[in-house]
Amino acid sequence: MRRLYEKTLKRVFGYDAFREGQRDVIEAVADGQDVLAIMPTGAGKSLTFQLPSYIKNDGLTIIVSPLLSLIEDQMLHIRERGERGVARLTSMETLEEKQAILNHLKRYRFLYLSPEQLAVPHVTRALARTPIQMLVIDEAHCISQWGHEFRPEYARLGELRKQLGSPQCMAVTATAPEAVKKDIIEKLALFNPAQFVHSANRPEIRLIVERLLGEQKLPRLIELVRDVPKPAVVYTATRREAESLALSLDDALFYHGGMSTEDRRLVQSQFLRDEVAVMVCTSAFGMGVNKDNVRSVIHFQLPATLEAYMQEIGRAGRDGEAAFAVLLYADGDERIQQFLIDQQYPKEKDIRVAYFERENGTSLSHLPRLLRMNEEDPVFGLLKQMLSERTLAGAVDWVKERKRDRYRQLGQMIDYALIKTCRRDYLLRYFSEQPIDQEPCCDVCGPIAFPENEQVVSKNVTDWKHRLSRIFSFD
C-alpha cells in the first residue's frame, strides 16, 4: 500500500516525495478514519484529501469551502493536472447549471461547494442519493469563527453530514487553539478522529510590533511599505480605510468584500502575477490566494483575534524564505474592533421588540421595517435564527455571552501588542505549544533587519519626529 501512495503521488500529482506530515494524514484517511488535520499554510493540505480519492476510488469527495476564491484556486490546480471530474456549486452558477451537475453527480470525483449551498434542501437530497467517499471541511476553523452567528450554516454542518448518511469526514485548517479544535470535533460529530496537529510556529516569519501615536501611523506605514521586502500585504479593518491607504501608497491596489466579483478577480490576478507590489485589504483577502513569495504582511489595524492574526501573517513566506510580520499599534486601536463587534449583534432593545412583535402575530417579513433593518443584513439573519431557536431570555444572554467572548479574544490580541517578553512564545503558548529558541525571532528578542537596506526595526519606534521630517522633507 505504501508503494501505491508514492506511485499515485507521482502519476497524478507529479511529485517525487511527500511533504512532512502528509503521508500520516493520507494513511488515516485511506483507513476510513475521521480526521482533524491542523497543518500550516503551504504544507499541502489539499493533497491529503485529494490523493485518497484515487486510492479508494469508491465515490464522490465533497469539499465544503468558505470562499469562492478558495474554490476557484483549488479547482484550477485540479484541472491543470488533467482531472476533469471536478465541479462546483456556488452563487456563480445558474439554476440550470446547478441542476445539470446534480443530475450527473456520478461523473465527478470532486465536488466543491459552500456550506450555504450544501444546506439547500434539494442539493442535500441529491447528494444523499449519491455514493459519498468523504466529506471534507476545508478551513474548518470557520466553524468556530463564523458558525455561531455570521454564517449559521457552518454550525449546521454536523446535522447536514447526518442527512448525507454520516460519511467519513475530514476537517482541515492551518491554525486552531484547543477551544476551536473541540468546537470542530463537536460540531461535525467526528467519531474518535485521528488528529494531526502540526506546530503553529512559522520560523521563517520575523515578528515585529511598533507602538506609535495615532497620528504617526500613516507616515510610518508609507515609510515601512517603501522599506520592507515585497510583495507585501497590508491588512486593515474597514473597506473605506483599505481604499484610502492604497491611494497613499506607491504601487498599491485595494481589495475588500464590497467590490464586484470581476474587480476582485482582476486585482487578485495582478497581485499574483507580481504586476503590483502591495495589496491593501480587509480580511476578505487571503484564503485561497496561492502566492508563495509574499515577503511582508503589515497590519495597520489590530486584528480581532490571535487566530485571525496567525492566519493572516501565515500568507507570508510560504516558500520558506525569510518574511516579516509587522503590527502597527496605537493606544485606542481596539475601539475599531469593539465597534465592529457591537455592530455584528442585534441590540437588546431590538431583540425584545422582535420577540414582542412575534408573540403578537407580526410576520417575519414585517420585522425589518419595524426594526429599521435591511432584510439581507446578517444581523437580521442572526435575529431570525434566535427567534426560531431561543427564548427571549436565552437570546439576550447568548448575545451578551458571545460579545464577552469576542472582547476577551480582542484582549488577547492587545496583550500580544503590549507584551515585553518574546512574542513567538506568547503565540505558541496560546496554541498550547511549548516555547522555542530561534534566531532571528521577534523585535523583543533582538533587532530585526529588513534585507533590502538593512534598516533595523526596534520594538518601540520613538524617533517619530525624525521620520516625519524625512517623509515631508523637500530637500
Side-chain angles (χ1 to χ4, degrees):
M1 181 64 81
R2 293 178 70 87
R3 288 191 62 191
L4 179 59
Y5 295 155
E6 266 82 11
K7 289 173 73 173
T8 306
L9 180 70
K10 182 65 175 178
R11 176 177 60 84
V12 178
F13 297 89
Y15 299 131
D16 294 319
F18 288 105
R19 296 182 189 176
E20 182 181 356
Q22 284 181 324
R23 178 194 286 279
D24 292 337
V25 177
I26 289 167
E27 288 179 350
V29 172
D31 286 343
Q33 293 179 267
D34 285 349
V35 169
L36 172 60
I38 301 171
M39 304 170 69
T41 302
K45 293 186 292 293
S46 59
L47 184 138
T48 63
F49 59 77
Q50 290 177 18
L51 188 143
S53 173
Y54 295 92
I55 299 291
K56 299 173 76 172
N57 201 29
D58 59 359
L60 182 66
T61 296
I62 299 172
I63 303 103
V64 177
S65 190
L67 296 176
L68 180 59
S69 60
L70 192 59
I71 291 173
E72 288 181 331
D73 182 73
Q74 290 202 16
M75 288 186 63
L76 176 63
H77 287 288
I78 289 173
R79 285 174 171 157
E80 281 178 344
R81 65 170 188 258
E83 174 63 70
R84 293 292 173 261
V86 57
R88 72 180 189 187
L89 296 175
T90 72
S91 58
M92 301 300 293
E93 285 73 53
T94 65
L95 289 175
E96 292 76 14
E97 289 170 334
K98 290 176 181 176
Q99 194 56 54
I101 292 169
L102 293 174
N103 289 342
H104 301 94
L105 285 171
K106 291 185 180 179
R107 293 181 180 177
Y108 301 108
R109 183 182 297 277
F110 303 108
L111 176 67
Y112 281 84
L113 71 176
S114 68
E116 289 81 7
Q117 292 292 327
L118 182 61
V120 175
H122 77 273
V123 173
T124 311
R125 288 194 297 270
L127 291 173
R129 296 191 295 266
T130 304
I132 298 173
Q133 177 171 298
M134 184 166 59
L135 173 65
V136 179
I137 312 300
D138 199 7
E139 303 292 349
H141 66 281
C142 295
I143 290 171
S144 189
Q145 181 178 329
W146 291 337
H148 292 292
E149 53 274 277
F150 313 122
R151 293 175 71 173
E153 286 77 11
Y154 265 103
R156 292 188 56 212
L157 284 173
E159 170 196 334
L160 294 170
R161 181 190 175 198
K162 287 182 182 177
Q163 293 180 29
L164 297 179
S166 297
Q168 179 186 6
C169 187
M170 179 180 184
V172 293
T173 186
T175 56
E178 287 299 323
V180 174
K181 284 192 283 185
K182 200 173 167 187
D183 217 11
I184 292 170
I185 292 170
E186 181 182 319
K187 288 284 195 306
L188 293 177
L190 300 182
F191 176 72
N192 193 25
Q195 297 187 44
F196 302 92
V197 182
H198 292 243
S199 175
N201 186 42
R202 293 286 301 280
E204 66 276 13
I205 300 177
R206 286 77 164 123
L207 305 171
I208 302 165
V209 176
E210 297 190 16
R211 292 192 62 188
L212 306 161
L213 297 177
E215 62 268 23
Q216 300 169 2
K217 289 183 68 177
L218 179 56
R220 176 56 182 152
L221 177 67
I222 293 170
E223 182 182 54
L224 193 59
V225 167
R226 187 190 66 215
D227 291 338
V228 297
K230 289 174 273 293
V233 177
V234 178
Y235 278 104
T236 190
T238 66
R239 297 173 179 180
R240 181 180 297 178
E241 195 164 55
E243 296 184 15
S244 173
L245 292 178
L247 291 174
S248 301
L249 302 173
D250 292 331
D251 198 12
L253 294 175
F254 64 83
Y255 182 108
H256 58 67
M259 299 165 62
S260 69
T261 301
E262 293 75 14
D263 284 345
R264 290 200 305 271
R265 283 177 177 166
L266 175 62
V267 168
Q268 180 172 304
S269 175
Q270 288 177 283
F271 186 65
L272 290 175
R273 296 198 302 263
D274 291 324
E275 294 174 358
V276 62
V278 182
M279 181 69 78
V280 186
C281 55
T282 63
S283 59
F285 182 81
M287 283 191 286
V289 177
N290 187 19
K291 184 174 178 64
D292 64 2
N293 69 332
V294 173
R295 298 270 64 87
S296 304
V297 172
I298 302 170
H299 280 84
F300 188 73
Q301 293 290 355
L302 204 67
T305 67
L306 287 170
E307 293 100 305
Y309 181 67
M310 289 294 284
Q311 288 277 342
E312 288 165 4
I313 68 172
R315 274 117 210 189
R318 290 180 58 173
D319 55 6
E321 299 297 322
F324 300 84
V326 185
L327 169 63
L328 301 180
Y329 176 74
D331 291 340
D333 276 359
E334 61 273 14
R335 286 194 289 267
I336 292 177
Q337 289 295 350
Q338 289 168 344
F339 172 78
L340 293 175
I341 291 170
D342 288 340
Q343 295 302 302
Q344 290 164 352
Y345 298 89
K347 296 178 175 60
E348 184 173 335
K349 68 178 180 62
D350 290 335
I351 297 173
R352 294 188 180 279
V353 169
Y355 274 79
F356 175 81
E357 293 292 340
R358 288 294 286 155
E359 287 173 4
N360 286 276
T362 303
S363 68
L364 277 174
S365 62
H366 284 89
L367 281 183
R369 181 176 57 82
L370 288 171
L371 298 172
R372 297 182 179 179
M373 289 184 179
N374 187 320
E375 189 174 0
E376 302 301 318
D377 189 336
V379 176
F380 183 68
L382 177 58
L383 185 55
K384 282 200 302 184
Q385 181 187 347
M386 291 191 294
L387 284 165
S388 66
E389 296 177 357
R390 302 177 191 276
T391 63
L392 171 58
V396 170
D397 288 345
W398 183 83
V399 168
K400 288 179 179 177
E401 180 182 344
R402 286 296 297 155
K403 288 175 74 171
R404 276 196 300 268
D405 192 42
R406 300 286 303 284
Y407 289 140
R408 178 185 56 79
Q409 292 175 315
L410 179 57
Q412 292 167 328
M413 192 67 236
I414 297 169
D415 288 345
Y416 171 80
L418 297 178
I419 56 169
K420 296 181 180 179
T421 56
C422 178
R423 301 192 195 283
R424 195 176 304 271
D425 284 0
Y426 182 86
L427 293 173
L428 291 177
R429 289 184 190 279
Y430 178 78
F431 288 97
S432 304
E433 295 187 38
Q434 292 300 310
I436 62 171
D437 291 325
Q438 74 166 63
E439 291 184 7
C441 179
C442 70
D443 58 287
V444 177
C445 294
I448 303 292
F450 297 134
E452 289 185 346
N453 59 8
E454 295 301 306
Q455 177 195 351
V456 174
V457 178
S458 60
K459 64 176 177 177
N460 287 306
V461 178
T462 55
D463 192 11
W464 61 273
K465 289 184 179 179
H466 175 64
R467 291 204 313 277
L468 286 175
S469 68
R470 284 177 56 196
I471 292 168
F472 295 108
S473 171
F474 293 99
D475 293 341

